[in-house]
Amino acid sequence: MGLSFLTPLFLAGFIGIMVPLIVHLIRRHRGRVIPFPSLMFLRRLPVETVQRRTLRDWPLLLLRIGVLVLIALAFARPVLQLGAEEDGVAGDPLREVVLVVDRSWSMAGDGRWERAMEEAQDALGGLVSPDRASLVLFDGVGRVVVEPTLDPGRVRTALDTVQPGWGGTQIGAGLQAASGILQASDRSRREVVLISDFQRRGWEDGPRDPLPEGTTFVTADVGDDGLGSMIVSDVTLEYTFQEGRQRVQPSARVVRQGEEAPTRAEISIEIDGQEIEATTIEMPSDGAVSVPFAPITLPPEAILGTVHVNAEGGREIEPFRFVVSPSEVLSVVLVEDGDALGEEAPYLRRALEVQGGVPMQVETRRTANFSDAELEGVDLVILNDVPLPGGASAAALQSHLRGGGGLFVAAGPGSDADSWSTAWTEFIPARPGEIVERDPARAASLAQVDRDHPVFTVFDGEGGTGLGAPRFFRYRRLDVPEPDPADGDGAATEEQDPRVLARLDDGTPILAQRTPGAGRVLVWTSTFDNEWSDFPLHPVFLPVVREIVQFAGARRESVPFFTVGQPLDPSFVLIEAGLLEEGMAAAGEEEGGEAPGPALGLLIDPDGSAVELVADGGALLQLASPGFYEVREEEEGATEWVLAVNPDVREADPARIDPEDLTLAVAPESTAEGAAAAASLAGGDLSQVSDPEATLEDGERRQGAWRFLLAGAILLLLGETLLAGRKKPLAKQAG
Amino acid sequence: MPAENAWSQGRVGPGARFLDPKTLQRIGSLELVARGVVEGFLQGLHRSPFLGQSMDFAEYRPYVVGDDPRRIDWKVFARTERYYVKEYEAETNTNFTVLLDCSHSMAFGEAEFTKFDYARYLAACLSFLARKQGDRVGILTFDSKVREIVPCSARHLELVLITINRADASRRGDFASALHDVTSRRTRKGLVALVSDLYLEPERFRGPLNRLREVGNDVMVFHVLDPAERDLPYEGKFTLEDMETEEFLPVTPEDLKAEYRELIAAHIAEVRRVLVGTGADHILVDTGKPLDHTLFHYLLSRQERARRGQWASLS
């Protein structure tokens, strides 16, 4: 156990020890002062000078010196270094050193990886036997590459074989892996050396757990503040229909960040390996531009697109890949009353006409009269505030639903509750009841949504979705049967039918679902005009309606590209590839238990390596590198689906976090002594070093000796007061 | 000493404080016992340099046998055909001035009273006796400088006593400069009684005393010392504080006592030698002894001197 001081200058207070000595010498007899007419004769006698130097009250003197010593020590803030030797480096047999190296995509450029390796070698060079070392590499996830070992050579060997990857940065993930090693360690001195370019996004977007108590945290910054970047961050696809053929217009979004980034670039688009268009762009000083390309007529099969950027200066920029899948048009029949057709309340229709996402073809009708022939090829029927059909139309629609069709009903005032006859009981969540009118000042709002449902999955973000903003003045009661509490915790589940997807603040369902056969029926208990609510006036209206329509129409928007590091469910991949039916995946998971099912396909990465796709109990897929991935039923089989994978665009963000800020976050109690010790470990080249002693509590515990010292000083002062108070003057005052 | 008496209980005026009846009674007894010595001393000591020229007319009294025929007021005889003799209060007396040292060192005292208390009694008694002998009395108090002056007058006894009562020994003293100031102020001849502890190198007050003597003053020096000042009777180790300079000095008296006593004795001897050299009388006053004892000792001493014919030098 060692001892150091946070403010050693206060030790100069030891000079104060001279004070009581001098006082004792000068005022030795002050307690027995006798007034005397004149000392003119006594001064002539030499004896007094010798007597003056005689110390008498040794206990009092020692008490006073003790007070000063304790106060000086307290203000010097002593720090106990538990388990550490005085030299702090050599001779400490109990060190556990974890090397945490960033291998994200951003580390690949501008010599950062080379600098990182130099820092790592320096850190390893500071190890002294029997120090124990381990290696953690991280990008989007943290991995322990070398378990704790007494042989630093193993770590060096591992570093020699490592190259930066394509993944994003999650500094917190790397520190979590290091924490796992440290928590399992029996070494009393634990140290983490973090080597990274310290991208801000890499810290802010990930976990921020502090390191274990007693960890010395060392940072080595290999980044460069002056570098900028240019990257294609996104490609959007706008589908259109012209002359019965589907066309798509890709637009690339190019982002320039940092003052040093190039301002001019040539951008080109390549479809199925052939460049079809190229242009030159001028970039703003710090911003983004959208580059639209000419529309492309889609063939029946998916096409592979790549956007290349050649920036001035020859700087290499990773191409952006995407896949364009020919989407099957969602055929919608919208039934509205005459007023709505008279353009008085076009909100729903306008929402369906907006391009983007799943392409839709909308046919508008005034009445809900259908025949089987008319519903042929129709994916979704929307009854916007009109009665449910009866008779033959009802039979045709119900037959259509059983066959997989969709129905979306807005049960407004025109929906005529009487039309919801018992013939519809098996198809609707519940029969709408009376109309509830709310005081506009106390209008209802969305209070609960089922975020596990595909309709609301896209709103499962951190606030700001605006779902609670719309106000509902009127709506219908809808008594959807509650789930049996004995079946679970009462929450809605995918198996529940009917199912409430959203409720108002008084508990009334505003959106409910029923799945008759293969079909889907969704009921909205209000209207889509601006009389029963102001919902259409809010930004959240369009995405909610689009999601409802896509779900009810059983359409899934194709994903043009994925991101490196993004985990994928094998079932999702198999379903997209047509190798697994959607309903079978859930059933298989329920029945299969923990045992993995058979491989239904293969995922072949850009390097040609294949991974089996197992629907039941298979591990999540990790997309490790950019490029096109193919899904096949068997290795030599035909390609069923193609995934475009791009690097994490966040890696191009040059914004960086100050290592000191990071240190404060993971090791808030830093000390200069710890920094010096760790700097010595790292050969003195590390940029930031801290000795957190991990947590505030631990730091306070190690630095808390000053309280005891002050308390001791107070006790000594009390003793001094009592002792000094016993002294009485010998002589009375004259007169 | 008379710590509790009539004046301390407020039954008499402040001026009578130092005229303690017991003391005065003993003084009075002393006069009765040694009337001749005292009167002779006073007459011989206090021969006025302005003999017969006093303007303080007192009364007429009938002529009796033995009176000097030259003192008969013939004008009164012409008007009344009776012999009357004119009496003058200061007919045969002089100016009696007490110089009272009020420096802080005078406040020292290990007995029931301090040196200053003793000095005030002494000054009051001397003034009273002088007035009783017909002298004009006055007083001058000083520490580092002259504090109060009461000019000599036949009617100033009470004022002198009040001044003595009011004086206090709380200030730092500077005997040499104060004595110089005193001698520069005093011009009329008379009897001067200096009451002080004389903590000064004796040679330094030789000059001022010579000046007093040169202008015709008769000087008596009452050297007031407490027994503790002479004997240093303390035991153990302690710190002495100089009452004048407020300096502190740790001492071990056992180691110093003998040498100190030698030094203080040598100082007293040197003071006596210097005073005798200037023609002044040195009366060592031990505050451990009764006041009347001091006065009586003094009167006896003066009588002895008179018998040896030393008065001539004082005239």
Side-chain angles (χ1 to χ4, degrees):
Chain A
M1 183 174 69
L3 180 66
S4 59
F5 298 92
L6 291 182
T7 52
L9 281 180
F10 278 101
L11 294 178
F14 285 145
I15 298 174
I17 294 174
M18 298 299 295
V19 173
L21 279 173
I22 294 172
V23 168
H24 269 71
L25 291 173
I26 291 179
R27 294 176 54 88
R28 181 165 58 96
H29 294 150
R30 280 296 170 90
R32 303 178 60 200
V33 175
I34 299 176
F36 203 70
S38 177
L39 303 180
M40 61 182 294
F41 305 118
L42 291 168
R43 286 196 204 95
R44 299 172 187 173
L45 304 176
V47 178
E48 46 95 6
T49 57
V50 177
Q51 294 293 321
R52 175 180 296 179
R53 292 175 183 167
T54 302
L55 292 173
R56 296 180 59 252
D57 297 323
W58 278 105
L60 201 59
L61 175 65
L62 292 177
L63 280 176
R64 290 170 178 170
I65 290 177
V67 168
L68 290 174
V69 168
L70 291 180
I71 289 177
L73 284 175
F75 276 84
R77 296 295 301 274
V79 179
L80 298 176
Q81 295 175 331
L82 300 177
E85 297 293 334
E86 290 295 334
D87 58 10
V89 179
D92 183 357
L94 300 174
R95 284 198 300 174
E96 182 78 64
V97 180
V98 183
L99 213 56
V100 182
V101 181
D102 182 358
R103 66 180 296 267
S104 64
W105 181 36
S106 62
M107 291 288 289
D110 303 316
R112 295 177 184 177
W113 184 252
E114 290 73 17
R115 290 197 294 273
M117 291 301 99
E118 291 175 2
E119 295 285 2
Q121 295 297 340
D122 288 343
L124 292 172
L127 296 176
V128 178
S129 179
D131 289 344
R132 201 157 60 189
S134 51
L135 176 62
V136 170
L137 299 176
F138 72 94
D139 41 27
V141 296
R143 299 181 183 87
V144 179
V145 178
V146 178
E147 295 288 346
T149 177
L150 297 174
D151 180 13
R154 289 184 57 196
V155 179
R156 288 192 178 92
T157 303
L159 286 172
D160 291 340
T161 60
V162 173
Q163 289 296 323
W166 296 94
T169 305
Q170 294 275 328
I171 295 176
L175 295 180
Q176 279 184 338
S179 295
I181 295 175
L182 296 177
Q183 287 169 349
S185 173
D186 58 351
R187 297 295 176 98
S188 60
R189 186 172 178 181
R190 296 171 290 187
E191 298 170 0
V192 168
V193 180
L194 173 62
I195 303 172
S196 172
D197 57 356
F198 292 95
Q199 281 189 292
R200 178 170 293 277
R201 298 287 296 271
W203 172 247
E204 293 179 343
D205 296 344
R208 304 183 188 184
D209 300 330
L211 290 170
E213 294 182 7
T215 302
T216 299
F217 184 53
V218 185
T219 59
D221 185 3
V222 297
D224 189 340
D225 290 327
L227 296 179
S229 66
M230 178 182 288
I231 191 173
V232 180
S233 65
D234 192 14
V235 170
T236 57
L237 303 173
E238 184 172 346
Y239 292 91
T240 58
F241 289 93
Q242 287 187 351
E243 300 174 353
R245 305 188 65 179
Q246 190 174 11
R247 297 165 65 87
V248 64
Q249 182 180 22
S251 296
R253 181 175 175 81
V254 184
V255 178
R256 175 180 184 270
Q257 294 176 309
E259 293 295 328
E260 300 299 323
T263 58
R264 182 184 177 89
E266 289 185 358
I267 183 169
S268 62
I269 185 170
E270 186 181 282
I271 299 296
D272 288 338
Q274 292 187 355
E275 181 179 309
I276 60 172
E277 187 178 354
T279 185
T280 301
I281 57 172
E282 296 286 342
M283 296 294 296
S285 60
D286 193 359
V289 295
S290 182
V291 183
F293 296 100
I296 305 166
T297 301
L298 288 179
E301 302 80 19
I303 59 173
L304 309 182
T306 304
V307 175
H308 296 274
V309 177
N310 297 315
E312 63 180 358
R315 184 173 295 182
E316 182 179 356
I317 297 176
E318 182 67 15
F320 193 92
R321 303 167 183 86
F322 61 97
V323 176
V324 183
S325 300
S327 298
E328 195 172 340
V329 177
L330 179 63
S331 177
V332 179
V333 174
L334 174 60
V335 183
E336 294 183 322
D337 62 15
D339 291 341
L341 289 174
E343 303 296 332
E344 293 182 1
Y347 300 107
L348 182 58
R349 184 154 27 95
R350 294 285 187 229
L352 299 179
E353 290 173 356
V354 172
Q355 295 293 337
V358 175
M360 298 182 188
Q361 282 188 322
V362 181
E363 176 191 355
T364 304
R365 297 190 180 189
R366 291 179 180 270
T367 59
N369 295 325
F370 308 104
S371 65
D372 291 336
E374 289 173 332
L375 291 175
E376 186 70 30
V378 173
D379 299 306
L380 174 64
V381 176
I382 300 177
L383 302 179
N384 186 15
D385 197 19
V386 296
L388 292 180
S393 294
L397 186 53
Q398 291 172 357
S399 174
H400 175 69
L401 292 174
R402 291 193 189 94
L407 175 63
F408 179 40
V409 181
S415 63
D416 188 8
D418 293 338
S419 66
W420 299 62
S421 62
T422 55
W424 284 98
T425 303
E426 298 178 358
F427 294 89
I428 57 176
R431 186 176 180 182
E434 73 279 12
I435 297 174
V436 179
E437 294 203 21
R438 296 285 289 265
D439 184 348
R442 303 178 60 185
S445 61
L446 271 175
Q448 178 184 357
V449 297
D450 184 354
R451 295 185 184 274
D452 292 332
H453 195 275
V455 170
F456 294 108
T457 300
V458 296
F459 302 101
D460 192 15
E462 295 182 1
T465 58
L467 286 174
R471 298 182 302 163
F472 297 87
F473 313 115
R474 297 189 187 93
Y475 47 89
R476 285 184 179 276
R477 294 288 185 194
L478 191 69
D479 296 325
V480 179
E482 295 293 329
D484 187 355
D487 295 339
D489 57 3
T493 63
E494 292 185 3
E495 296 76 28
Q496 184 183 337
D497 191 42
R499 177 180 178 185
V500 176
L501 307 184
R503 294 180 186 271
L504 297 177
D505 53 11
D506 63 352
T508 301
I510 187 71
L511 181 63
Q513 164 191 300
R514 185 86 186 253
T515 54
R520 301 173 179 180
V521 177
L522 280 81
V523 175
W524 182 262
T525 60
S526 187
T527 63
F528 291 114
D529 56 26
N530 58 357
E531 293 182 357
W532 277 36
S533 73
D534 63 357
F535 182 40
L537 307 181
H538 287 266
V540 75
F541 172 74
L542 179 61
V544 168
V545 168
R546 299 284 298 199
E547 291 297 323
I548 290 174
V549 170
Q550 289 181 21
F551 173 76
R555 285 292 185 276
R556 188 195 303 274
E557 188 175 0
S558 61
V559 182
F561 58 87
F562 296 86
T563 302
V564 171
Q566 181 176 347
L568 284 182
D569 186 346
S571 298
F572 166 79
V573 177
L574 290 169
I575 292 172
E576 291 293 331
L579 300 175
L580 179 66
E581 291 188 12
E582 189 168 354
M584 298 299 292
E589 290 175 2
E590 184 179 352
E591 298 170 359
E594 296 182 355
L600 301 179
L602 296 173
L603 178 66
I604 302 173
D605 65 15
D607 297 330
S609 301
V611 177
E612 290 185 344
L613 298 174
V614 179
D616 303 334
L620 293 178
L621 302 172
Q622 290 287 344
L623 304 174
S625 59
F628 291 107
Y629 289 66
E630 295 181 6
V631 179
R632 300 174 187 170
E633 188 170 9
E634 55 188 20
E635 190 164 359
E636 300 301 328
T639 300
E640 304 292 343
W641 190 45
V642 178
L643 297 80
V645 179
N646 295 301
D648 190 341
V649 295
R650 294 177 299 181
E651 285 297 289
D653 188 347
R656 287 155 32 83
I657 183 175
D658 191 331
E660 288 186 359
D661 295 339
L662 180 62
T663 300
L664 289 175
V666 300
E669 288 295 317
S670 302
T671 66
E673 288 75 15
S680 175
L681 162 71
D685 294 331
L686 300 181
S687 55
Q688 296 291 333
V689 183
S690 70
D691 179 7
E693 306 304 350
T695 65
L696 183 63
E697 293 78 11
D698 183 65
E700 200 53 37
R701 176 173 61 83
R702 297 188 179 210
Q703 300 173 20
W706 66 271
R707 294 191 178 91
F708 300 102
L709 294 172
L710 274 188
I714 292 173
L715 289 177
L716 290 184
L717 274 177
L718 291 175
E720 191 271 349
T721 303
L722 293 175
L723 189 61
R726 291 193 308 168
K727 306 295 181 185
K728 295 180 180 177
L730 283 181
K732 63 184 178 183
Q733 292 293 323
Chain B
M1 292 304 297
E4 294 294 337
N5 46 40
W7 53 264
S8 65
Q9 298 170 8
R11 297 196 301 268
V12 296
R17 173 180 174 182
F18 307 105
L19 307 180
D20 179 30
K22 293 181 180 178
T23 302
L24 293 178
Q25 184 178 5
R26 295 186 65 181
I27 294 296
S29 299
L30 181 64
E31 288 183 13
L32 290 174
V33 173
R35 176 183 298 271
V37 175
V38 171
E39 289 184 349
F41 158 69
L42 292 176
Q43 290 175 358
L45 181 63
H46 297 165
R47 283 177 298 181
S48 173
F50 308 103
L51 184 62
Q53 297 180 10
S54 171
M55 300 303 291
D56 298 333
F57 171 76
E59 62 179 349
Y60 285 104
R61 64 173 175 83
Y63 173 78
V64 296
V65 178
D67 287 337
D68 190 345
R70 291 177 297 181
R71 295 178 60 188
I72 296 174
D73 191 333
W74 295 110
K75 293 180 179 179
V76 175
F77 174 75
R79 292 195 301 269
T80 64
E81 294 183 353
R82 291 185 178 183
Y83 296 105
Y84 284 91
V85 176
K86 185 185 288 184
E87 293 280 358
Y88 294 92
E89 283 191 353
E91 183 178 4
T92 60
N93 297 329
T94 186
N95 298 315
F96 180 81
T97 303
V98 176
L99 305 183
L100 181 59
D101 183 0
C102 298
S103 64
H104 192 45
S105 63
M106 292 290 287
F108 176 78
E110 286 290 294
E112 296 178 355
F113 45 84
T114 66
K115 291 192 296 181
F116 193 62
D117 291 333
Y118 199 102
R120 286 193 294 186
Y121 294 143
L122 178 61
C125 290
L126 290 176
S127 299
F128 184 78
L129 285 174
R131 185 66 194 99
K132 190 175 182 180
Q133 292 300 314
D135 289 342
R136 292 182 291 271
V137 295
I139 191 169
L140 185 150
T141 62
F142 66 95
D143 38 52
S144 60
K145 59 184 180 181
V146 174
R147 293 294 174 185
E148 287 195 73
I149 299 177
V150 177
C152 290
S153 171
R155 301 185 182 93
H156 282 178
L157 175 61
E158 185 175 7
L159 185 56
V160 167
L161 297 178
I162 291 173
T163 302
I164 293 173
N165 184 45
R166 196 165 53 200
D168 66 307
S170 59
R171 301 181 186 88
R172 182 174 179 174
D174 185 349
F175 186 78
S177 62
L179 198 59
H180 177 77
D181 195 10
V182 170
T183 55
S184 65
R185 290 169 184 264
R186 184 172 178 79
T187 56
R188 297 182 65 179
K189 298 177 182 178
L191 177 59
V192 174
L194 171 62
V195 183
S196 173
D197 52 9
L198 299 178
Y199 276 111
L200 183 69
E201 293 299 329
E203 290 298 332
R204 297 188 62 187
F205 51 73
R206 180 192 294 274
L209 291 180
N210 277 335
R211 281 193 292 275
L212 282 176
R213 288 286 298 144
E214 287 169 359
V215 296
N217 288 300
D218 189 7
V219 179
M220 296 182 294
V221 177
F222 292 87
H223 190 179
V224 183
L225 290 177
D226 191 277
E229 290 179 274
R230 301 176 62 178
D231 300 333
L232 202 63
Y234 308 113
E235 301 293 338
K237 300 176 180 178
F238 48 85
T239 296
L240 293 178
E241 178 186 4
D242 192 317
M243 297 175 68
E244 295 288 345
T245 63
E246 298 182 350
E247 294 178 57
F248 292 90
L249 189 64
V251 295
T252 305
E254 288 85 349
D255 302 333
L256 306 172
K257 196 172 294 183
E259 295 175 89
Y260 177 80
R261 287 175 179 172
E262 290 179 4
L263 287 173
I264 195 71
H267 174 70
I268 293 171
E270 180 65 12
V271 168
R272 182 182 297 275
R273 187 185 65 79
V274 171
L275 291 180
V276 170
T278 59
D281 286 335
H282 177 253
I283 302 98
L284 186 61
V285 178
D286 186 348
T287 60
K289 296 179 178 178
L291 178 60
D292 49 358
H293 180 272
T294 301
L295 291 176
F296 182 64
H297 179 78
Y298 169 72
L299 293 175
L300 289 177
S301 175
R302 296 297 301 217
Q303 184 188 33
E304 183 65 22
R305 289 173 176 239
R307 189 178 297 122
R308 294 199 302 264
Q310 294 183 3
W311 301 123
S313 63
L314 299 177
S315 61

